[in-house]
Amino acid sequence: MSTEERSAPRRRNPRGQGQVLKAQLVDAAAKLLATLDQPETLTLRQVAREVGVAPASIYSHFTDLSALIQHVLRQRYQELAQLMDDAARAAGPTPLADLTARCAAYVRWGVNQPGHYRTLFGGRMPADLAPGSAHGDGAEPLAAVVVSLAGAATPERAQPTADLRTQAGLMLWTALHGLVSLYNDHGTMPWPPLDDLITDVVALHTGRPAAEVAPLVGRPEK
């Protein structure tokens, strides 16, 4: 990072406002993970420089870099889960509306926040910094999609066991992830409208006609 990019010296927080610094550290780490060309090279010194504090100040809030990164991951997963839940509540009472809203919210978040999406799903972080357990919060939005898909699928696509329903949800998530990743990495391609792509993915995995799914994708977010 160049000298010009370094933040100005930070004014100390008043006594008793340590949580302000903690939030600033988390925001700085999230920003760096989302914008660095090689996020896996993030260091505590970079985070401290971004906030304008001495690296030793971080240890009052996080034991090491891994603890800070895991906090960022939990925060981003919770943000995504809340976004998907809110979209589903606004969509309507049917399982297909619920599922379509969740899928659309996921894809739009990933496309609008490519750096944060990469932080969660890019797979670039070494296991010692982001162990598998750090992604535990990602199970919540996936579980909600599995439930919605089971209710929205046509009888021909309905899966008879919990294991197969989970597998179907994983395959749908794989398709959504592929869509977001390719859209973000190859944005200059002549892509169809994003809503059309979401419609086709949901229709394919539920067995529902695209004409039934499309109006649900296009509902304005509240």
Side-chain angles (χ1 to χ4, degrees), residues 186-192:
H186 302 281
T188 58
M189 287 178 55
W191 290 95

Side-chain angles (χ1 to χ4, degrees), residues 162-208:
D163 285 347
L164 288 176
R165 288 192 289 273
T166 298
Q167 181 175 318
L170 284 170
M171 294 307 297
L172 173 55
W173 174 59
T174 299
L176 296 172
H177 173 65
L179 171 56
V180 173
S181 298
L182 289 171
Y183 196 95
N184 286 345
D185 291 344
H186 302 281
T188 58
M189 287 178 55
W191 290 95
L194 196 59
D195 284 0
D196 290 352
L197 296 171
I198 298 169
T199 295
D200 288 344
V201 169
V202 174
L204 176 65
H205 286 264
T206 60
R208 300 284 181 178

Side-chain angles (χ1 to χ4, degrees), residues 13-210:
N13 285 314
R15 186 176 180 85
Q17 292 190 13
Q19 291 304 307
V20 174
L21 174 57
K22 181 177 181 180
Q24 291 170 337
L25 293 170
V26 172
D27 288 346
K31 174 185 173 183
L32 290 167
L33 287 170
T35 57
L36 286 172
D37 290 338
Q38 295 179 297
E40 67 273 18
T41 65
L42 178 69
T43 65
L44 285 177
R45 188 171 297 277
Q46 287 174 299
V47 176
R49 185 185 301 126
E50 182 74 21
V51 178
V53 297
S57 302
I58 298 176
Y59 294 108
S60 298
H61 303 282
F62 299 99
T63 56
D64 54 21
L65 179 61
S66 177
L68 175 54
I69 289 175
Q70 291 183 55
H71 188 96
V72 172
L73 292 176
R74 286 194 298 272
Q75 190 179 75
R76 291 283 85 83
Y77 276 123
Q78 290 166 5
E79 173 187 326
L80 177 57
Q82 186 65 56
L83 187 69
M84 293 170 69
D85 285 346
D86 289 346
R89 278 192 291 270
T94 69
L96 182 61
D98 184 289
L99 175 68
T100 305
R102 291 181 186 279
C103 293
Y106 176 94
V107 170
R108 288 169 182 153
W109 184 84
V111 169
N112 292 329
Q113 307 282 346
H116 293 316
Y117 188 87
R118 182 188 66 175
T119 297
L120 291 184
F121 304 112
R124 299 273 294 273
M125 209 58 59
D128 59 329
L129 293 180
S133 59
H135 297 277
D137 286 284
E140 180 183 339
L142 175 59
V145 166
V146 169
V147 172
S148 290
L149 178 58
T154 61
E156 295 76 17
R157 293 294 179 90
Q159 300 298 331
T161 67
D163 285 347
L164 288 176
R165 288 192 289 273
T166 298
Q167 181 175 318
L170 284 170
M171 294 307 297
L172 173 55
W173 174 59
T174 299
L176 296 172
H177 173 65
L179 171 56
V180 173
S181 298
L182 289 171
Y183 196 95
N184 286 345
D185 291 344
H186 302 281
T188 58
M189 287 178 55
W191 290 95
L194 196 59
D195 284 0
D196 290 352
L197 296 171
I198 298 169
T199 295
D200 288 344
V201 169
V202 174
L204 176 65
H205 286 264
T206 60
R208 300 284 181 178

